[in-house]
Amino acid sequence: MRRLSLSTLLLTFCLDAAEPRFVYPLPPDSAVSVRRDIVYRTVAGRDLHFDLYRPANHMTGASVPVSIFMNGVGSGDMRRWTQYEGWGRAVTIAGLAGVTFDSHEGGVIEDAEALIH
């Protein structure tokens, strides 16, 4: 019985430790406006997307400084990683907009330039 309890506790700890987390304090969901899956470029028939995080209290049409989190690897799924979503949300605390985006292998610089344009 003791082994079963210890095994269960160890398994629970390992599963909890494996869960990706963003450790910097994030604003509440109500303080962030998120627009996901905005297509900014199509390469070889594949759409590349970006997600835009803005302070929820920003005025529509008002300009806000933007922080772009570079996907320099050429991976199409990094913007969905906990770390990238966290960065996009975190900068809204300072009144900035955050952008996370897809890129493709061998075309990271061109993808970043297309995103900025």
Side-chain angles (χ1 to χ4, degrees):
M1 181 67 165
R2 187 174 206 169
R3 270 193 175 166
L4 180 60
S5 297
L6 185 56
S7 296
T8 303
L9 181 62
L10 183 59
L11 179 63
T12 302
F13 175 75
C14 289
L15 290 175
D16 187 50
E19 181 182 328
R21 294 190 183 137
F22 191 82
V23 288
Y24 191 81
L26 293 174
D29 289 343
S30 61
V32 181
S33 169
V34 182
R35 288 188 52 210
R36 296 191 187 279
D37 302 319
I38 303 166
V39 176
Y40 75 93
R41 184 175 192 204
T42 302
V43 177
R46 178 176 159 234
D47 289 339
L48 298 177
H49 301 87
F50 73 92
D51 294 340
L52 174 63
Y53 300 81
R54 292 182 290 191
N57 63 357
H58 80 282
M59 295 173 48
T60 303
S63 297
V64 292
V66 176
S67 182
I68 299 173
F69 296 98
M70 185 66 182
N71 175 348
V73 180
S75 172
D77 67 345
M78 288 179 75
R79 71 186 163 95
R80 293 288 191 219
W81 291 7
T82 301
Q83 179 179 351
Y84 278 82
E85 288 180 342
W87 288 338
R89 294 176 59 81
V91 297
T92 64
I93 294 171
L96 302 172
V99 171
T100 59
F101 68 101
D102 298 335
S103 64
H104 75 285
E105 189 174 341
V108 174
I109 293 171
E110 295 83 7
D111 293 340
E113 289 172 345
L115 175 73
I116 291 168
H117 286 15

